[in-house]
Amino acid sequence: MTDAQTAAERIAQLRSDLDAHNYRYYVLDEPSVPDAEYDRLFRSLQALEAEHPELVTPDSPTQRVGGAASSAFGVVRHEIPMLSLGNAFEEDDLREFDRRVREGLDLPAGSEAAYSCEPKLDGLAVSLLYENGHLVRGATRGDGSTGEDISANVRTIRNVPLKLRSEGWPEVLEVRGEVYMSKAGFERLNAAQAEAGGKTFANPRNAAAGSLRQLDPKITAGRPLEFCCYGIGRVPAPLAATHTASLERLKDWGLPISRELRRVQGAEACLDYYRDIGARRASLAYEIDGVVFKVNDIGQQRELGFRAREPRWAIAHKFPASEELTELLDVEFQVGRTGAVTPVARLKPVQVAGVTVSNATLHNMDEVARLGVMIGDTVIIRRAGDVIPQVMQVVTERRPADARPVQVPTHCPVCGSDVERTQLVKRSKGRESFSEGAVYRCVGRLACQAQLKQAIIHFVSRRAMDIEGLGDKIVEQLVDKGLVKSPADLYTLTYDDVFALEGFAEVSSNNLLASIASSKRPTLARFIFALGIPDVGEETAKLLARTLGSLERIERALPEVLTYLPDVGAEVAYEIHNFFEAEHNREVIAQLRANGVELQDEGELHAEFAACASLAALIDKLNIPFVAATGAKKLAEKAAGRATGAAGIAEVKALAGDWLDLSTTKGLNERARQSIRDWFAVADHARRAEAIEAQLRDFGMHWQSERKTAEGLPLAGQTWVLTGTLEAMSRDVAKDRLEALGAKVAGSVSARTTCVVAGPGAGSKLAKAEELGLRVLDEAAFLDALRGYGVTVDPA
Ligand code: IVH
């Protein structure tokens, strides 16, 4: 056996393995190997083919993208025209269709026609031509008689077989089907396009169309297109007696067909199918606009024939459209919790997928600009599932002469304060750049009723101060009556105040006052979250509480110091810092304390935080132009070499002023060195650096040899899991307590879990813990353990 023969055999084996895996993955939907194994086989084949280019064939799995971009698509004539379908919108339209079918076939009274049922995929009709089992051409539907040659593009679609499998296929086989994009593929593509500053698509159908009509097949290859076969074009002889049996044969040959394909008897069963798919529409992986019913018997199809360009034997039963046209009557602006002024479209009411829509979100002014929408425009509205309706597109051709641009109000529509555009501050590679943000904000803060209401609603919410019984409507009344002008005022409400509210009697008034009173001892994390600092969610609040340990430290932390915390970037750091700098926020906090709010768990700086500072990291945070992380490290090392004790900013500053020594610092180029000299020569810069350093020291942070290990909290490094129901406390409280002790609370049990707390009703997590031999505590033992750490839990 020669070398080439062995290679040829191995290539053949690899191709057949890959084809078999593809078939199982795309057609049977039963993957046989992990992706990594598939990739490994694929790369082996690529390598072998690279060594033996003479053995490369066009239908090798490696040859999906071949050839260069073309300047235009060729023309393809469809020998058998690609027809369209008649539509049924109402159930009775379908019954009428069925009546015509039975009449046309002259079926005896009482007997039913057999139908195939398939989803109507929302993509593009495509014809694929196989000769001797090889894909030789792909074409669009075009006008039904002539389409475009998109062979190079269809070859890139992963589930289109380049070569038919098994045997028995006719010499010439033309199949037809839909090229579409899954919902997930569409989301991924749009996200990637947006990231790269490219064009985004309004819906999966447009994305599929745009991707298929690319002159460069390499672009198509990068798009998540899929194919589903629903019919047969040119064949020398029928493949089977029925449509469903024909599709099953195509499936055996490796062509993907719908998993939802069914065969039923009669119109009522068709309607059942329609309702069933309709109910599952939102959870399907792809978009459909209806279902298609076809008389299943091929002989009967022939008998019925065609009327104009539609078969008499098939019909599309459409779902109510999820997109409609309507008019944009006006754009109003709503004010949110953080003062963001957001545009909302007021629409001429229109039925979309069975619901009257008169408002739609426009997100922000960037979105308004992207859409290019003007008041008076005709717009496409889309409503998918229970998502808020969205404005998808403007029909510019229908723009009236008196269309008006959308303008952000200069004053808040609720309180009349100024509206300002947010600035985005970007700090990178030593430069600080400002750009206009997409968000506009009312500067009124709590003086703005809209912001005040939202702020209070957030403050009292379950994950914040958790004041039970204080719903949105009550908050609105309290604010409207002027009883509450800041969250602090909740704690001075009297019985008479509450009793006077709509819907309150004696017992309910007392209950509300009691639940307000019982919220007076929040954890630091809950309190921080409740303040509603822009960009500070529950996780960030917990992080701030856990690491900095006290409100006082959080309040005065410099933004650079905050960025030492994991996952806190410059923007969030500035939001936090600016929040506590603002006088009115300080006043609210002081008032809350004066009204009896007492933080429960303030303490020391966490060891995890104390140990994370390094001089290099500090230099990096100074944003000295041309000094990135490695440069900062070099500078820190050199400064450390000059110091007798621990080096700090003073040593770096001295180094910056020492021309010779800085010039001989390795790892810094001249531009960086000059930049360091210039930077430290500015008195404000040096002062800022010293202030940050002083704060780090003051907070008990230290670097180099002083690094301590995390001796901080008793449960540091441990992972706990809570399962089942707890009686003495909610799971949220249990989680809070554990986290306060330094433990991580995870959602699932693994070998790394330290301990599992199992209440009544615990199931698989408990079983797994026992199987792994982990420590398991019931609630009583858990409470004991907490008490052991000095933590008590108020009875729930
Ligand atoms: S059958 C003669 N089956 O709907 C029958 N079409 O309005 C021709 N479509 O151009 C089509 N899913 O793009 C058929 N399961 C399906 C379909 C389907 C989607 C599209 C196809 C066609 C259009 C007809």
Side-chain angles (χ1 to χ4, degrees):
M1 208 187 278
T2 68
D3 249 10
Q5 272 174 320
T6 332
E9 280 166 13
R10 285 184 50 213
I11 285 178
Q13 184 64 50
L14 282 166
R15 284 181 191 159
S16 101
D17 286 353
L18 285 165
D19 285 341
H21 292 318
N22 269 334
Y23 174 67
R24 297 200 50 140
Y25 187 92
Y26 290 117
V27 181
L28 301 183
D29 206 11
E30 294 164 356
S32 42
V33 288
D35 291 356
E37 170 66 6
Y38 182 91
D39 293 343
R40 199 184 58 75
L41 294 173
F42 192 86
R43 282 194 303 271
S44 309
L45 178 58
Q46 273 180 323
L48 270 172
E49 287 181 345
E51 268 175 52
H52 301 277
E54 74 285 1
L55 297 176
V56 177
T57 57
D59 56 14
S60 167
T62 60
Q63 300 302 301
R64 288 199 174 265
V65 194
S70 58
S71 56
F73 296 114
V75 175
V76 169
R77 264 201 74 73
H78 299 299
E79 283 188 32
I80 301 175
M82 290 182 78
L83 303 173
S84 56
L85 293 170
N87 291 322
F89 294 100
E90 307 291 336
E91 300 205 339
D92 279 343
D93 298 342
L94 192 270
R95 293 191 182 101
E96 179 57 22
F97 162 79
D98 173 60
R99 195 192 54 73
R100 287 195 306 267
V101 165
R102 282 183 287 119
E103 210 175 84
L105 294 174
D106 211 6
L107 295 186
S111 72
E112 288 177 321
Y115 292 102
S116 85
C117 315
E118 307 156 34
K120 186 171 186 303
L121 294 166
D122 206 2
L124 298 96
V126 163
S127 144
L128 301 180
L129 184 63
Y130 287 87
E131 283 177 4
N132 297 314
H134 295 278
L135 175 65
V136 294
R137 195 195 69 194
T140 61
R141 174 173 182 269
D143 63 6
S145 316
T146 52
E148 289 175 315
D149 187 327
I150 48 160
S151 303
N153 290 348
V154 294
R155 291 177 66 85
T156 68
I157 302 173
R158 295 299 187 284
N159 71 343
V160 167
L162 299 178
K163 197 175 84 199
L164 297 179
R165 45 173 277 122
S166 184
E167 53 198 25
W169 21 263
E171 218 168 286
V172 175
L173 171 66
E174 187 205 346
V175 297
R176 290 172 178 180
E178 200 83 347
V179 168
Y180 64 98
M181 198 176 281
S182 70
K183 294 175 191 168
F186 164 71
E187 296 295 342
R188 255 186 289 130
L189 172 62
N190 258 3
Q193 293 284 104
E195 176 105 329
K199 173 179 186 294
T200 55
F201 297 95
N203 54 44
R205 208 199 95 82
N206 289 4
S211 302
L212 202 55
R213 293 198 77 267
Q214 289 287 339
L215 288 165
D216 182 355
K218 288 195 187 63
I219 298 182
T220 311
R223 303 283 173 85
L225 292 174
E226 290 171 56
F227 175 71
C228 178
C229 197
Y230 57 62
I232 290 146
R234 193 151 67 94
V235 275
L239 301 177
T242 64
H243 174 67
T244 44
S246 309
L247 291 185
E248 289 298 336
R249 290 200 78 188
L250 297 183
K251 182 178 175 185
D252 285 342
W253 298 333
L255 287 154
I257 64 171
S258 174
R259 291 172 66 188
E260 306 291 347
L261 176 70
R262 299 286 182 277
R263 186 188 160 282
V264 305
Q265 291 288 126
E268 293 311 312
C270 286
L271 291 174
D272 286 344
Y273 179 86
Y274 173 82
R275 289 183 213 112
D276 172 58
I277 295 274
R280 291 190 289 122
R281 186 180 179 189
S283 62
L284 292 178
Y286 41 81
E287 295 212 333
I288 58 175
D289 53 354
V291 295
V292 181
F293 300 119
K294 296 170 189 165
V295 169
N296 200 31
D297 188 283
I298 307 283
Q300 291 184 339
Q301 287 187 359
R302 273 219 199 95
E303 231 181 297
L304 287 162
F306 299 87
R307 186 191 52 207
R309 304 192 59 76
E310 291 167 13
R312 286 206 183 86
W313 45 265
I315 194 162
H317 191 177
K318 297 290 216 53
F319 291 131
S322 58
E323 287 190 352
E324 282 298 341
L325 288 178
T326 189
E327 205 181 305
L328 178 64
L329 300 176
D330 201 0
V331 172
E332 284 173 16
F333 288 84
Q334 275 177 357
V335 186
R337 170 165 65 84
T338 58
V341 174
T342 17
V344 179
R346 300 285 177 236
L347 305 163
K348 187 168 164 195
V350 62
Q351 286 277 117
V352 189
V355 171
T356 307
V357 171
S358 46
N359 301 313
T361 169
L362 281 164
H363 302 291
N364 56 44
M365 291 308 286
D366 277 5
E367 176 72 357
V368 170
R370 189 187 71 80
L371 290 165
V373 67
M374 292 174 79
I375 296 163
D377 269 337
T378 295
V379 291
I380 299 176
I381 301 300
R382 181 186 186 77
R383 193 187 143 260
D386 45 11
V387 191
I388 307 168
Q390 275 186 298
V391 177
M392 304 305 292
Q393 222 174 306
V394 176
V395 186
T396 20
E397 307 88 79
R398 296 215 201 160
R399 174 165 293 162
D402 62 350
R404 290 179 290 130
V406 179
Q407 262 167 342
V408 183
T410 51
H411 297 283
C412 172
V414 178
C415 73
S417 300
D418 285 351
V419 168
E420 285 178 356
R421 185 166 195 169
T422 49
Q423 291 252 309
L424 292 182
V425 192
K426 204 168 167 195
R427 296 173 181 83
S428 88
K429 300 208 179 77
R431 264 177 280 230
E432 201 170 80
S433 57
F434 293 89
S435 59
E436 308 249 81
V439 176
Y440 287 77
R441 275 208 182 118
C442 157
V443 302
R445 310 253 180 179
L446 297 186
C448 173
Q449 301 255 318
Q451 289 182 63
L452 176 60
K453 282 178 187 169
Q454 293 302 319
I456 305 281
I457 289 170
H458 172 77
F459 186 82
V460 305
S461 63
R462 199 169 61 81
R463 303 192 154 269
M465 299 293 277
D466 192 19
I467 303 182
E468 223 180 293
L470 197 43
D472 299 4
K473 289 276 169 287
I474 303 166
V475 171
E476 280 185 20
Q477 286 193 63
L478 290 169
V479 170
D480 289 341
K481 290 191 176 215
L483 290 169
V484 168
K485 296 196 173 66
S486 99
D489 294 342
L490 291 171
Y491 296 96
T492 53
L493 287 174
T494 62
Y495 177 86
D496 292 342
D497 290 338
V498 177
F499 189 78
L501 297 176
E502 217 172 278
F504 277 86
E506 193 183 324
V507 177
S508 47
S509 300
N510 282 325
N511 284 349
L512 180 57
L513 288 172
S515 84
I516 293 175
S518 74
S519 74
K520 280 186 174 174
R521 296 182 65 233
T523 60
L524 176 57
R526 278 180 177 274
F527 184 76
I528 294 292
F529 176 57
L531 291 176
I533 305 166
D535 286 346
V536 175
E538 210 184 348
E539 288 311 314
T540 308
K542 282 184 184 169
L543 175 79
L544 288 168
R546 189 176 72 226
T547 51
L548 292 176
S550 77
L551 183 61
E552 190 263 343
R553 275 190 218 102
I554 299 171
E555 279 173 337
R556 65 188 175 94
L558 295 167
E560 291 86 349
V561 172
L562 289 169
T563 63
Y564 274 95
L565 303 176
D567 297 330
V568 174
E571 261 168 48
V572 183
Y574 275 85
E575 287 286 8
I576 297 168
H577 181 72
N578 293 344
F579 182 91
F580 291 108
E581 283 278 276
E583 190 53 39
H584 56 272
N585 290 329
R586 289 169 178 274
E587 277 167 19
V588 172
I589 293 169
Q591 204 55 53
L592 281 164
R593 295 192 133 158
N595 293 349
V597 173
E598 223 177 286
L599 301 179
Q600 256 185 75
D601 54 348
E602 288 187 295
E604 287 307 296
L605 191 84
H606 194 310
E608 161 196 341
F609 185 38
C612 73
S614 76
L615 181 56
L618 170 54
I619 296 170
D620 191 25
K621 287 179 199 300
L622 298 176
N623 278 313
I624 305 170
F626 309 113
V627 180
T630 15
K633 198 163 157 239
K634 298 290 172 198
L635 200 57
E637 281 165 11
K638 184 79 171 197
R642 291 166 59 103
T644 37
I649 288 297
E651 281 72 23
V652 181
K653 199 171 137 192
L655 172 61
D658 184 333
W659 203 90
L660 189 65
D661 214 12
L662 185 64
S663 299
T664 56
T665 304
K666 290 205 186 70
L668 291 172
N669 60 25
E670 189 43 42
R671 199 164 56 167
R673 288 188 202 118
Q674 194 51 48
S675 176
I676 293 164
R677 289 181 196 111
D678 293 347
W679 198 90
F680 277 96
V682 179
D684 267 358
H685 285 167
R687 264 200 295 277
R688 176 92 189 156
E690 280 155 3
I692 299 167
E693 181 183 39
Q695 182 163 81
L696 291 172
R697 286 194 195 285
D698 177 26
F699 281 5
M701 295 174 69
H702 28 74
W703 44 72
Q704 303 162 8
S705 53
E706 295 174 55
R707 179 183 301 172
K708 281 191 214 161
T709 47
E711 32 69 287
L713 295 164
L715 303 184
Q718 299 194 4
T719 304
W720 287 56
V721 173
L722 301 166
T723 179
T725 42
L726 299 179
E727 273 145 23
M729 69 190 102
S730 70
R731 277 220 221 162
D732 280 341
V733 172
K735 186 166 180 238
D736 270 358
R737 297 297 183 275
L738 284 168
E739 285 175 346
L741 290 167
K744 234 178 77 182
V745 178
S748 61
V749 174
S750 77
R752 280 192 296 275
T753 307
T754 317
C755 183
V756 174
V757 179
S764 62
K765 290 179 194 173
L766 175 59
K768 183 148 185 212
E770 282 165 351
E771 190 185 307
L772 291 168
L774 302 175
R775 182 174 159 218
V776 176
L777 301 180
D778 63 13
E779 187 169 3
F782 175 53
L783 289 174
D784 273 350
L786 287 182
R787 267 191 294 276
Y789 294 116
V791 177
T792 49
V793 178
D794 298 332

